[in-house]
Amino acid sequence: MTTFVLIPGAACDAWHWHLLERELRARGRDVVSVDLPCGDDAAGLDEYADTVAEAVAGRGRLVLVAHSFAGFTAPLVCERVPVDLLVLVAAMVPLPGEEPREWWRATGHPDSRVRRAARDAQRAGAGPAAEDVPESAVPGSAADPFFQDLPPELAAEAAGRWRRQSGTPAARPWPMAAWPEVPTRFLLCRQDRLFPAPFLRSVVAERLGMAPDEMPGGHFPMLSRPAELAGRLEGYSRPAAR
């Protein structure tokens, strides 16, 4: 049986996947939602990848689903366990030797405020590090770069679930020499305010040499559109669809 392995972004945990996990399980799918040691200053990307590998030990037919900052972690997992498919959802795409905190500048992220806040948060070891919320943003409001398409109660809970994110993973170069030889799909969200669609189209084309798939929604489709995202993942997991 295929196992969907859900890897959270910076300062997030398994809760941020809970609606998607419920949807996948209702469809009879096996799911592992991983909590990373994001608050541990001794843990870097290798430790994050080790945590995922340990969580899926002994399972077959793995589909890794990586959100946002997890784009730096998921490829490392592919070196540790056999992976059938890697799905990047609104994710960062690294280059060999690139420090995550430098990714914003290197990719030419269009919003200087977001770029500066992310860099400063990562250097300070604050949360939510790779995805820092501007102080003026109220969860679910027009200024919110994360949860603008969620119901107010869910947006507030999602924001309240941010964990402390150590800056350690952001300060170490991405250790892989090349992207893993694993089938890869990229799914961007057209209303994403953190990683705008035109920006991600360019990043994916330049760094992965492919065109991303697209769906409606903001940066957290696992909370705003779990049924649609589950359908996408099921489609990706079918061998004929690759």
Short mmCIF file of all heavy atoms in Angstrom, two decimals, residues 46 49-50 53 64 73-83 174-182:
data_model
loop_
_atom_site.label_atom_id
_atom_site.label_comp_id
_atom_site.label_asym_id
_atom_site.label_seq_id
_atom_site.Cartn_x
_atom_site.Cartn_y
_atom_site.Cartn_z
N ASP A 46 19.93 17.55 8.21
CA ASP A 46 20.21 16.11 8.26
C ASP A 46 19.40 15.45 9.37
O ASP A 46 18.87 14.34 9.19
CB ASP A 46 21.71 15.86 8.48
CG ASP A 46 22.51 16.00 7.19
OD1 ASP A 46 22.05 15.49 6.15
OD2 ASP A 46 23.59 16.61 7.22
N ALA A 49 15.84 15.11 8.25
CA ALA A 49 15.69 13.98 7.32
C ALA A 49 15.75 12.65 8.07
O ALA A 49 15.01 11.71 7.75
CB ALA A 49 16.75 14.04 6.24
N ASP A 50 16.62 12.56 9.06
CA ASP A 50 16.70 11.33 9.87
C ASP A 50 15.39 11.08 10.59
O ASP A 50 14.92 9.93 10.69
CB ASP A 50 17.83 11.45 10.90
CG ASP A 50 19.22 11.39 10.28
OD1 ASP A 50 19.35 10.92 9.13
OD2 ASP A 50 20.17 11.83 10.96
N ALA A 53 12.96 9.65 8.08
CA ALA A 53 13.34 8.28 7.72
C ALA A 53 12.98 7.29 8.83
O ALA A 53 12.50 6.18 8.57
CB ALA A 53 14.83 8.22 7.41
N LEU A 64 6.43 11.14 -0.63
CA LEU A 64 6.75 12.24 0.26
C LEU A 64 6.02 13.48 -0.20
O LEU A 64 6.08 13.86 -1.37
CB LEU A 64 8.25 12.52 0.27
CG LEU A 64 9.22 11.40 0.66
CD1 LEU A 64 10.64 11.95 0.77
CD2 LEU A 64 8.80 10.73 1.95
N THR A 73 14.20 19.59 3.11
CA THR A 73 14.34 18.34 3.86
C THR A 73 14.02 17.11 3.02
O THR A 73 14.76 16.11 3.06
CB THR A 73 13.41 18.36 5.09
OG1 THR A 73 13.78 19.44 5.94
CG2 THR A 73 13.48 17.05 5.86
N ALA A 74 12.93 17.15 2.28
CA ALA A 74 12.44 15.95 1.60
C ALA A 74 13.46 15.31 0.66
O ALA A 74 13.58 14.07 0.64
CB ALA A 74 11.15 16.27 0.85
N PRO A 75 14.23 16.07 -0.15
CA PRO A 75 15.21 15.41 -1.00
C PRO A 75 16.25 14.62 -0.21
O PRO A 75 16.74 13.59 -0.68
CB PRO A 75 15.85 16.57 -1.77
CG PRO A 75 14.82 17.64 -1.75
CD PRO A 75 14.16 17.52 -0.41
N LEU A 76 16.60 15.09 0.99
CA LEU A 76 17.55 14.36 1.83
C LEU A 76 16.99 13.03 2.28
O LEU A 76 17.74 12.05 2.46
CB LEU A 76 17.93 15.21 3.05
CG LEU A 76 18.53 16.59 2.78
CD1 LEU A 76 18.82 17.29 4.11
CD2 LEU A 76 19.78 16.49 1.95
N VAL A 77 15.68 12.98 2.49
CA VAL A 77 15.04 11.72 2.88
C VAL A 77 15.21 10.68 1.77
O VAL A 77 15.36 9.48 2.04
CB VAL A 77 13.55 11.94 3.19
CG1 VAL A 77 12.86 10.63 3.58
CG2 VAL A 77 13.39 12.98 4.31
N CYS A 78 15.19 11.14 0.53
CA CYS A 78 15.33 10.22 -0.61
C CYS A 78 16.68 9.52 -0.64
O CYS A 78 16.83 8.50 -1.31
CB CYS A 78 15.12 10.98 -1.92
SG CYS A 78 13.48 11.71 -2.10
N GLU A 79 17.68 10.06 0.07
CA GLU A 79 18.98 9.40 0.19
C GLU A 79 18.99 8.34 1.28
O GLU A 79 19.89 7.52 1.34
CB GLU A 79 20.06 10.43 0.51
CG GLU A 79 20.40 11.39 -0.62
CD GLU A 79 21.64 12.19 -0.30
OE1 GLU A 79 21.78 12.64 0.86
OE2 GLU A 79 22.48 12.35 -1.21
N ARG A 80 17.98 8.37 2.13
CA ARG A 80 17.97 7.51 3.31
C ARG A 80 17.03 6.31 3.17
O ARG A 80 17.28 5.26 3.73
CB ARG A 80 17.58 8.33 4.54
CG ARG A 80 18.67 9.31 4.97
CD ARG A 80 18.11 10.44 5.84
NE ARG A 80 19.16 11.22 6.49
CZ ARG A 80 19.91 12.13 5.89
NH1 ARG A 80 19.72 12.37 4.61
NH2 ARG A 80 20.83 12.80 6.57
N VAL A 81 15.94 6.49 2.45
CA VAL A 81 14.96 5.41 2.26
C VAL A 81 14.50 5.43 0.80
O VAL A 81 14.53 6.47 0.15
CB VAL A 81 13.75 5.57 3.20
CG1 VAL A 81 14.16 5.41 4.67
CG2 VAL A 81 13.07 6.91 2.98
N PRO A 82 14.03 4.28 0.27
CA PRO A 82 13.49 4.27 -1.09
C PRO A 82 12.20 5.08 -1.16
O PRO A 82 11.30 4.89 -0.35
CB PRO A 82 13.23 2.78 -1.35
CG PRO A 82 14.03 2.04 -0.34
CD PRO A 82 14.09 2.93 0.87
N VAL A 83 12.12 5.97 -2.11
CA VAL A 83 10.95 6.85 -2.28
C VAL A 83 10.42 6.68 -3.70
O VAL A 83 11.19 6.74 -4.67
CB VAL A 83 11.33 8.32 -2.01
CG1 VAL A 83 10.17 9.25 -2.37
CG2 VAL A 83 11.73 8.50 -0.55
N TRP A 174 22.79 23.44 1.96
CA TRP A 174 22.09 22.22 1.55
C TRP A 174 23.13 21.21 1.08
O TRP A 174 23.92 21.50 0.17
CB TRP A 174 21.10 22.55 0.44
CG TRP A 174 20.11 21.47 0.16
CD1 TRP A 174 19.22 20.93 1.04
CD2 TRP A 174 19.88 20.81 -1.09
NE1 TRP A 174 18.44 19.98 0.43
CE2 TRP A 174 18.84 19.88 -0.89
CE3 TRP A 174 20.46 20.93 -2.36
CZ2 TRP A 174 18.37 19.07 -1.91
CZ3 TRP A 174 19.99 20.12 -3.37
CH2 TRP A 174 18.95 19.19 -3.15
N PRO A 175 23.17 20.01 1.68
CA PRO A 175 24.32 19.12 1.48
C PRO A 175 24.29 18.24 0.24
O PRO A 175 25.28 17.55 -0.03
CB PRO A 175 24.28 18.25 2.75
CG PRO A 175 22.84 18.19 3.12
CD PRO A 175 22.28 19.53 2.76
N MET A 176 23.22 18.24 -0.52
CA MET A 176 23.16 17.36 -1.68
C MET A 176 23.91 17.96 -2.87
O MET A 176 23.96 19.17 -3.06
CB MET A 176 21.71 17.06 -2.07
CG MET A 176 20.96 16.27 -1.01
SD MET A 176 19.34 15.68 -1.58
CE MET A 176 19.83 14.41 -2.77
N ALA A 177 24.50 17.07 -3.68
CA ALA A 177 25.22 17.52 -4.88
C ALA A 177 24.29 17.75 -6.05
O ALA A 177 24.64 18.47 -7.00
CB ALA A 177 26.28 16.48 -5.26
N ALA A 178 23.10 17.16 -6.01
CA ALA A 178 22.13 17.29 -7.10
C ALA A 178 20.77 16.86 -6.59
O ALA A 178 20.65 16.23 -5.53
CB ALA A 178 22.54 16.44 -8.29
N TRP A 179 19.75 17.20 -7.35
CA TRP A 179 18.39 16.76 -6.99
C TRP A 179 18.33 15.24 -7.09
O TRP A 179 18.94 14.64 -7.99
CB TRP A 179 17.37 17.39 -7.94
CG TRP A 179 15.97 17.31 -7.43
CD1 TRP A 179 15.01 16.42 -7.81
CD2 TRP A 179 15.38 18.14 -6.43
NE1 TRP A 179 13.85 16.67 -7.10
CE2 TRP A 179 14.06 17.71 -6.25
CE3 TRP A 179 15.86 19.22 -5.68
CZ2 TRP A 179 13.20 18.31 -5.35
CZ3 TRP A 179 15.00 19.82 -4.77
CH2 TRP A 179 13.69 19.37 -4.61
N PRO A 180 17.64 14.56 -6.18
CA PRO A 180 17.60 13.09 -6.20
C PRO A 180 16.90 12.56 -7.45
O PRO A 180 16.01 13.22 -8.01
CB PRO A 180 16.81 12.74 -4.94
CG PRO A 180 15.97 13.95 -4.65
CD PRO A 180 16.82 15.12 -5.07
N GLU A 181 17.32 11.39 -7.87
CA GLU A 181 16.71 10.77 -9.05
C GLU A 181 15.43 10.05 -8.65
O GLU A 181 15.33 8.81 -8.69
CB GLU A 181 17.71 9.81 -9.70
CG GLU A 181 18.92 10.53 -10.28
CD GLU A 181 19.84 9.60 -11.04
OE1 GLU A 181 19.50 8.40 -11.19
OE2 GLU A 181 20.90 10.06 -11.48
N VAL A 182 14.46 10.84 -8.27
CA VAL A 182 13.15 10.37 -7.83
C VAL A 182 12.11 11.16 -8.62
O VAL A 182 12.24 12.38 -8.77
CB VAL A 182 12.96 10.60 -6.31
CG1 VAL A 182 11.53 10.32 -5.89
CG2 VAL A 182 13.93 9.74 -5.51
#
